[in-house]
Amino acid sequence: MSTTHVAHPRPRTRTRADHAFVALLRAVMAEGWRPEEAAHELLEAVRQDLRLLRLVRARISRAMLERPTGITERATLTLDVALSARVAGSVSGAPLPRHGGTHV
């Protein structure tokens, strides 16, 4: 192992969850933060991937257990709003698809 390798380790590749987490932090740290606006911004950033938002929500929940802060409270509220069907459906202007049967 060379000293160059130790001094300059290869940068870690960021995952989609990492990018979503960064988008969430930017949204909740905004000067005029409002949960609905932050949720819309976050949903656009993750292309309405609710599975990804649930993964981020789990990461925030773990952080809240260790040390709750105002930012993690904002993040939790923003994620809760984003994960609600009302906001997720209104981003694209179309209702969320129904699963598990036909609608009559």
Side-chain angles (χ1 to χ4, degrees), residues 15-25 27 38-57 78-79 82-83 88 91:
T15 64
R16 290 183 63 221
D18 293 333
H19 288 287
F21 194 77
V22 169
L24 173 64
L25 287 177
H40 282 291
E41 183 179 321
L42 180 61
L43 282 164
E44 289 177 9
V46 300
R47 297 182 180 142
Q48 300 183 34
D49 186 343
L50 299 182
R51 182 187 149 279
L52 182 58
L53 291 183
R54 285 190 291 273
L55 290 171
V56 171
R57 178 69 166 86
T78 299
L79 284 164
L83 288 167
V91 168

Side-chain angles (χ1 to χ4, degrees), residues 48-94:
Q48 300 183 34
D49 186 343
L50 299 182
R51 182 187 149 279
L52 182 58
L53 291 183
R54 285 190 291 273
L55 290 171
V56 171
R57 178 69 166 86
R59 187 184 287 189
I60 292 294
S61 294
R62 283 191 302 271
M64 290 280 293
L65 289 174
E66 293 177 17
R67 183 172 175 229
T69 65
I71 295 297
T72 55
E73 288 176 13
R74 281 184 177 192
T76 299
L77 184 55
T78 299
L79 284 164
D80 289 346
V81 172
L83 288 167
S84 74
R86 179 180 54 85
V87 173
S90 68
V91 168
S92 65

